[in-house]
């Protein structure tokens, strides 16, 4: 059956309008970006405020034993914080689509509004496309907006020490505009798959959120000094997620087939 973009866009606009009326969901979507922006800015400000603290050099030597004696430990730790934090920042484009997609599939089943949609001529591909767009567009927009605020805040906080803008750099720019959308698609795909198997939006969100644990674990490895972040490191993550995205897209189209849904929840 042919793919009709207008039908997919109709599903997209319907879900987007539903999102606008869900105040609780909108509030939940704003909490994480605020944390992701304020925490690193606060860390950078702390380093700038006490650049000659002897403890800072001890921490810097833990991560880089060959750090020259005359090098600024505060500057080194600021650069490391900015490099490592991108791994945690990627939690946001994964988490926001999980919130939205769980509501758009499992939530519709709870509200009994999925049946009229299944009775329409919309195909499985159009349904997945429309619902995915409704989760991806807000998630990517929030990520990009948070990135802009993050860059401004970091540059203001770091200016008294470095006397130059630190953000945006090449790694963050590529990561936010290329890798982050891939992670957003991943979070959406996981939420859609789980939502297609459970009957409650809250349960779908809780189960889908488990995919965040590997990201948090990788961040823990960076903080512990076991993993070294950088452009190549995040590029590898993006390549792995790209493959997973393709698999999730295929699985989502199969699970959201009209006949399967009607036989399961009809």
């Amino acid at each position: 059956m042919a793919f009709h973009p207008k039908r997919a866009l109709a599903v997209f606009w319907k879900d987007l309008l539903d999102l606008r009326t869900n105040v609780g969901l909108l509030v939940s979507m704003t909490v994480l970006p605020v944390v992701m922006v304020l925490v690193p800015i606060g860390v950078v400000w702390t380093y700038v405020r006490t650049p000659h603290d002897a403890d800072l050099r001890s921490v810097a030597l833990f991560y880089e034993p060959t750090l020259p004696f005359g090098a600024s430990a505060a500057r080194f730790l600021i650069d490391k914080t900015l490099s490592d934090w991108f791994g945690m920042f990627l939690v946001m484009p994964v988490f926001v689509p999980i919130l939205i997609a769980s509501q758009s599939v499992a939530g519709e089943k709870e509200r009994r509004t999925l049946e009229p949609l299944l009775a329409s001529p919309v195909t499985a591909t159009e349904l997945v496309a429309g619902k995915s767009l409704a989760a991806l567009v807000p998630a990517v927009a929030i990520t990009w907006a948070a990135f802009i605020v993050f860059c401004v805040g970091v540059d203001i906080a770091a200016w008294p020490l470095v006397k130059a803008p630190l953000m945006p750099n090449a790694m963050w720019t590529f990561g936010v505009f290329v890798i982050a959308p891939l992670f957003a698609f991943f979070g959406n795909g996981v939420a859609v798959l789980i939502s297609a198997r459970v009957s409650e939006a809250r349960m779908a969100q809780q189960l889908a959120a488990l995919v965040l644990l590997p990201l948090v674990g990788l961040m823990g490895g960076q903080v512990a000094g076991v993993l070294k972040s950088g452009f190549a490191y995040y590029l590898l993550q993006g390549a792995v997620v790209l493959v997973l995205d393709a698999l999730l897209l295929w699985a989502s189209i199969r699970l959201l087939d009209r006949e399967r849904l009607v036989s399961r929840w009809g």
Side-chain angles (χ1 to χ4, degrees):
M1 190 176 292
F3 177 83
H4 296 278
K6 288 185 178 180
R7 292 204 290 240
L9 286 175
V11 175
F12 163 69
W13 283 114
K14 170 192 169 299
D15 281 12
L16 209 59
L17 290 174
D18 290 343
L19 175 63
R20 289 175 56 186
T21 61
N22 194 330
V23 178
L25 182 59
L26 292 175
V27 172
S28 299
M29 288 166 53
T30 60
V31 173
L32 186 60
V34 170
V35 173
M36 290 297 171
V37 169
L38 293 183
V39 169
I41 292 175
V43 172
V44 170
W45 178 80
T46 301
Y47 291 148
V48 171
R49 184 167 170 266
T50 58
H52 303 296
D53 192 328
D55 291 337
L56 293 186
R57 183 158 188 87
S58 299
V59 175
L61 289 174
F62 170 79
Y63 292 111
E64 185 56 69
T66 61
L67 186 70
F69 180 76
S72 171
R75 175 60 191 271
F76 170 83
L77 290 174
I78 289 173
D79 290 339
K80 178 169 176 55
T81 298
L82 295 179
S83 178
D84 288 347
W85 191 254
F86 182 67
M88 185 59 71
F89 199 81
L90 287 174
V91 169
M92 179 168 41
V94 177
F95 183 70
V96 173
I98 286 175
L99 291 176
I100 301 173
S102 298
Q103 285 288 339
S104 70
V105 180
E108 287 212 54
K109 283 157 32 181
E110 281 185 286
R111 298 187 297 270
R112 308 299 294 178
T113 58
L114 188 61
E115 288 83 354
L117 188 59
L118 295 177
S120 70
V122 177
T123 66
T125 304
E126 293 160 358
L127 186 62
V128 170
K131 288 191 171 294
S132 295
L133 279 175
L136 293 175
V137 170
V140 172
I142 289 173
T143 300
W144 288 352
F147 173 61
I148 294 173
V149 177
F150 169 79
C151 291
V152 174
V154 166
D155 286 343
I156 292 175
W159 185 267
L161 178 67
V162 301
K163 306 299 183 183
L166 295 178
M167 297 294 293
N169 58 31
M171 185 197 78
W172 269 85
T173 302
F174 178 82
V176 167
F177 290 102
V178 178
I179 298 178
L182 294 177
F183 273 74
F185 195 96
F186 174 72
N188 170 77
V190 171
V192 168
L193 284 180
I194 294 177
S195 295
R197 305 297 297 182
V198 302
S199 57
E200 295 181 1
R202 186 177 298 275
M203 181 181 296
Q205 290 172 355
Q206 292 171 347
L207 292 175
L210 293 176
V211 302
L212 299 175
L213 295 179
L215 282 176
V216 176
L218 290 173
M219 183 63 184
Q222 294 168 211
V223 173
V226 177
L227 298 174
K228 189 172 183 179
S229 62
F231 193 93
Y233 172 77
Y234 293 122
L235 188 62
L236 177 61
Q237 285 189 12
V240 172
V241 171
L242 177 60
V243 175
L244 294 176
D245 285 347
L247 295 174
L248 287 170
L249 178 61
W250 173 81
S252 298
I253 292 174
R254 284 184 59 85
L255 277 179
L256 287 182
D257 179 74
R258 181 186 289 103
E259 285 72 20
R260 287 174 179 265
L261 291 176
V262 170
S263 63
R264 187 174 180 86
W265 299 298

